[in-house]
């Protein structure tokens, strides 16, 4: 059903080299990367702020605040790439966009409302850091609310994505049946873990950059610790992703084995092989990074 709608879509936009399909994939992928960062990193940030309050360790407080600064910048790029993706759906793929809007209109409305609430909470959380310095419990609560709403936003888009992959097979499904399709919950699980992984590794990337550009020894020591902490969280959650991926793939097979075969053993199999290689490189690189820094980080020797 979805494929028929896609093929019936007119594509007036002539994109050189990569074509309209390649362009919408590129925009969607960049948007997904930014979205994973701005959804996953605040979870990491709130936990660090809570640890700083509980342990009295100012390093966690500084880590949380500097990471939130990056999130506030990345949030704008998330919105820009999301707008570009919406324009592509309304342009070359306007038939598909109209179809999805009709099928999941309430989901799109909730998504837009939740996005507004998330944006408000994100800026309140960031700009009240000093004002609520003596009321950490309230500030952390705002951060928790930000993460709850952000996760809900992710669920709404997962409803659209999973519906496109595994729409209900009955003729006249209800709205809830369209949302709660066969891959909805597995996709939520996979993306939830992946977002935390993405957040941890992006914190490590930011810390590595700051470490190389900092002049003061104290700053370099802090960013070294920050990179180790972010990388540790990234690796810890990355180890859970294969299980979540297996659950997701199993539901695709249960829905339609021919669809799963097409993805994993036919025309798209090359991408699965490349994904496996990149995940292997990611594991090796991240663990090597921790192995090099573990002797320099206070309290890390216990992991040797």
């Amino acid at each position: 059903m979805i494929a028929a709608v896609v093929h019936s879509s007119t594509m007036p936009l002539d994109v050189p080299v990569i074509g309209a399909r390649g362009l919408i994939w590129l925009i969607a992928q960049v948007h997904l990367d930014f979205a994973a960062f701005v959804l996953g990193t605040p979870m990491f940030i709130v936990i660090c702020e809570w640890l700083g309050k509980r342990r009295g360790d100012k390093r966690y407080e500084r880590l949380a605040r500097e990471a939130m600064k990056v999130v506030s910048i990345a949030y704008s790029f998330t919105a820009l790439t999301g707008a570009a993706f919406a324009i592509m759906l309304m342009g070359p793929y306007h038939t598909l966009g109209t179809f999805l809007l009709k099928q999941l209109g309430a989901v799109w409305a909730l998504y837009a409302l939740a996005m507004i609430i998330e944006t408000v909470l994100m800026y309140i959380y960031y700009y009240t850091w000093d004002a609520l310095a003596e009321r950490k419990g309230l500030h952390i609560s705002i951060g928790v609310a930000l993460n709850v709403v952000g996760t809900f936003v992710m669920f709404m888009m997962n409803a659209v994505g999973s519906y496109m992959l595994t729409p209900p097979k009955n003729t006249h499904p209800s709205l809830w049946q369209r949302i709660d399709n066969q891959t909805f919950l597995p996709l939520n699980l996979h993306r939830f873990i992946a977002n935390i992984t993405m957040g941890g590794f992006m914190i490590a990337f930011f810390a590595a950059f700051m470490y190389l550009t900092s002049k003061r020894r104290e700053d370099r020591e802090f960013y070294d610790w920050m990179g180790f902490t972010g990388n540790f969280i990234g690796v810890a959650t990355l180890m859970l992703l294969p299980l979540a991926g297996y659950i997701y793939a199993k539901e695709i097979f249960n829905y339609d084995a021919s669809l799963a075969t097409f993805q994993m053993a036919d025309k798209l199999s090359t991408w699965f092989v490349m994904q496996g290689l990149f995940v292997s490189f990611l594991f090796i690189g991240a663990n090597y990074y921790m192995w090099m820094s573990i002797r320099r980080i206070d309290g890390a020797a216990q992991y040797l």
Side-chain angles (χ1 to χ4, degrees):
M1 178 173 60
I2 302 296
V5 174
V6 173
H7 285 301
S8 67
S9 297
T10 57
M11 293 187 291
L13 183 62
D14 183 18
V15 180
V17 184
I18 61 175
R21 286 178 66 92
L23 180 60
I24 198 170
W25 166 76
L26 181 62
I27 293 174
Q29 186 60 59
V30 174
H31 175 63
L32 182 63
D33 290 339
F34 276 113
F37 176 65
V38 300
L39 289 176
T41 308
M43 300 179 191
F44 181 74
I45 290 170
V46 172
I47 292 173
C48 286
E49 186 181 10
W50 175 76
L51 286 173
K53 178 179 181 296
R54 182 181 179 183
R55 297 183 179 181
D57 192 337
K58 294 183 178 180
R59 292 183 303 175
Y60 287 103
E61 175 77 11
R62 182 179 174 184
L63 188 159
R65 187 164 189 173
E66 293 203 17
M68 197 62 206
K69 185 187 300 183
V70 180
V71 170
S72 65
I73 297 172
Y75 201 88
S76 301
F77 289 98
T78 307
L80 289 173
T81 52
F85 182 59
I87 291 172
M88 285 292 294
L89 284 179
M90 291 184 292
Y93 292 95
H94 60 86
T95 306
L96 174 62
T98 302
F99 173 80
L100 291 175
L101 187 61
K102 289 180 179 179
Q103 295 296 315
L104 298 166
V107 172
W108 289 102
L110 287 173
Y111 171 77
L113 177 61
M115 276 290 296
I116 295 172
I117 297 173
E118 182 189 17
T119 303
V120 172
L121 286 173
M122 192 273 292
Y123 284 111
I124 290 175
Y125 180 67
Y126 178 63
Y127 285 106
T128 59
W129 209 292
D130 291 327
L132 297 178
E134 301 301 323
R135 303 181 64 185
K136 273 297 176 186
L138 176 59
H139 192 253
I140 292 173
S141 297
I142 296 172
V144 171
L146 168 64
N147 282 295
V148 171
V149 176
T151 302
F152 179 78
V153 169
M154 181 190 71
F155 284 175
M156 290 298 95
M157 279 299 95
N158 286 348
V160 177
S162 59
Y163 173 75
M164 293 176 68
L165 180 63
T166 55
K169 294 182 178 181
N170 51 320
T171 308
H172 299 291
S174 64
L175 175 62
W176 176 244
Q177 289 174 328
R178 294 173 192 148
I179 295 173
D180 189 28
N181 58 76
Q182 194 146 346
T183 57
F184 176 61
L185 291 179
L187 182 57
N188 286 334
L189 175 64
H190 191 274
R191 282 200 63 195
F192 181 80
I193 298 173
N195 286 350
I196 301 175
T197 304
M198 179 75 167
F201 283 139
M202 288 303 296
I203 291 300
F205 172 77
F206 169 74
F209 174 79
M210 295 302 295
Y211 175 86
L212 293 173
T213 56
S214 297
K215 304 299 183 183
R216 297 172 62 239
R217 179 179 177 181
E218 294 79 4
D219 289 337
R220 291 171 66 87
E221 289 178 351
F222 167 75
Y223 288 119
D224 192 22
W225 171 83
M226 181 178 178
F228 174 83
T229 304
N231 199 57
F232 184 88
I233 296 298
V235 172
T237 52
L238 182 63
M239 290 189 291
L240 299 174
L241 273 180
L243 176 60
Y246 169 78
I247 295 172
Y248 185 37
K250 180 182 177 181
E251 291 304 319
I252 297 175
F253 268 97
N254 289 337
Y255 177 83
D256 189 340
S258 61
L259 172 63
T261 303
F262 177 81
Q263 289 183 308
M264 301 177 188
D266 194 12
K267 293 184 179 180
L268 299 179
S269 60
T270 302
W271 300 103
F272 274 83
V273 174
M274 292 175 61
Q275 181 190 47
L277 287 174
F278 283 126
V279 169
S280 300
F281 292 150
L282 188 60
F283 259 114
I284 294 172
N287 281 281
Y288 182 67
Y289 178 92
M290 285 197 299
W291 179 76
M292 288 192 302
S293 60
I294 200 167
R295 296 180 184 276
R296 303 192 306 270
I297 306 298
D298 293 337
Q302 60 182 311
Y303 300 111
L304 284 172

